[in-house]
Amino acid sequence: MSSVLITGASQGIGRAIAVELARRGHRVIATARRPETLADLPVDQRLRLDVTDQDSVDQAIEDAGEIDVLVSNAGATVRAPLESVPLAEVERLFQLNTLGALRVTQAVLPAMRKRGSGRLVFVSSIQGRLVLPIIGPYSASKWALEAIAETLAIETGHFGIKVSIVQPGAVSTSGAGKATAFFTDNDPYTPLHQQLGTLRDAAVTAEEVAATVADTIEQPEPPLRVPAGAPAERILKARKEAPESEPFMPVRLDW
């Protein structure tokens, strides 16, 4: 069984991944900015790790011991039109969703490379391959994450390191509901925002995503990109087949 470090394990997908991997007998190192939120998880270690803080990352990796698999899951989102989203919020998302994942990856890679084996699993989104209005900053951070992950697959494959990108669609967690929204009074983009709920009709559970992550880890030769659930497979297939001459939307919005 593998020794697996998971970032962002306090809730949602990260917590479900920790539970699923522990159930399958893996040694799980669950991490979060507030380790007290991990107290009830049935895992081997619970560590503080803030992916935006280099000292925190270095200390957690040292305390974790040997790591066979890194699951980069920590992330957040916002709701705002690009015309008016605060740039500080866009920067925050990139620091967490993109650079945070790279920061932890840089911390675990030297040992994996010297050992000649390791797994890097990035929890991305279908929005790493397409965009949704009002969630553009999140999409941008995930597109950048997928570029980093694919580059890592090329650069580190020679050293026995396997990289996978898990791509859920809508997930039935509290993450979307907790997302900070930035809209002005009588905002002209509010009607568009109000229609985004139609995209969540085909939501999968965090447990379904966790099973996909665990299956990917346990595959001898995992694929680079792994859609999580039938809705994600369907939307990503439609995106691949769509013309590049116009923007792609998975559903028609009244806009």
Side-chain angles (χ1 to χ4, degrees):
M1 293 293 103
S2 298
S3 176
V4 186
L5 186 142
I6 307 166
T7 67
S10 64
Q11 59 185 341
I13 294 172
R15 173 172 284 263
I17 293 170
V19 171
E20 178 66 17
L21 288 173
R23 185 187 68 79
R24 297 191 187 198
H26 295 278
R27 174 178 174 259
V28 176
I29 306 139
T31 73
R33 284 178 293 183
R34 295 186 297 116
E36 64 271 17
T37 61
L38 309 171
D40 60 335
L41 281 176
V43 298
D44 289 80
Q45 282 182 276
R46 303 167 189 84
L47 300 176
R48 179 184 181 276
L49 195 161
D50 179 349
V51 301
T52 67
D53 182 326
Q54 188 66 55
D55 290 339
S56 172
V57 170
D58 291 342
Q59 187 62 58
I61 299 308
E62 179 180 340
D63 293 343
E66 186 171 294
I67 298 167
D68 300 311
V69 182
L70 168 64
V71 178
S72 286
N73 168 74
T77 186
V78 298
R79 299 286 187 268
L82 288 181
E83 179 179 330
S84 55
V85 63
L87 293 185
E89 285 297 314
V90 179
E91 182 177 2
R92 181 181 71 86
L93 282 190
F94 271 80
Q95 286 292 340
L96 178 58
N97 297 354
T98 312
L99 295 180
L102 180 56
R103 182 175 288 110
V104 183
T105 299
Q106 288 181 334
V108 302
L109 265 180
M112 289 182 176
R113 176 171 47 75
K114 290 175 183 177
R115 193 169 62 239
S117 66
R119 299 287 187 99
L120 303 174
V121 179
F122 297 91
V123 179
S124 181
S125 166
I126 60 170
Q127 291 180 71
R129 301 293 275 179
L130 55 89
V131 300
L132 295 176
I134 310 301
I135 320 178
Y138 176 79
S139 296
S141 72
K142 291 298 187 180
W143 280 54
L145 175 65
E146 295 215 8
I148 287 170
E150 189 161 346
T151 303
L152 285 165
I154 296 168
E155 292 180 348
T156 67
H158 175 74
F159 301 111
I161 297 165
K162 302 181 187 302
V163 179
S164 293
I165 304 163
V166 176
Q167 301 167 307
V171 183
S172 55
T173 67
S174 60
K178 291 180 178 178
T180 305
F182 296 90
F183 290 89
T184 60
D185 293 338
N186 301 315
D187 197 299
Y189 293 96
T190 298
L192 190 56
H193 182 214
Q194 291 171 338
Q195 294 185 65
L196 290 184
T198 60
L199 301 176
R200 300 193 63 80
D201 291 343
V204 298
T205 66
E207 289 72 23
E208 289 176 276
V209 179
T212 299
V213 170
D215 290 345
T216 300
I217 289 171
E218 293 177 349
Q219 285 188 54
E221 297 295 332
L224 174 63
R225 286 185 170 84
V226 186
E233 290 181 4
R234 185 168 56 252
I235 293 172
L236 290 170
K237 181 175 183 292
R239 176 65 186 93
K240 185 175 182 179
E241 294 173 350
E244 296 286 348
S245 57
E246 59 186 36
F248 171 79
M249 276 294 295
V251 298
R252 184 179 297 278
L253 297 177
D254 182 17
W255 176 246

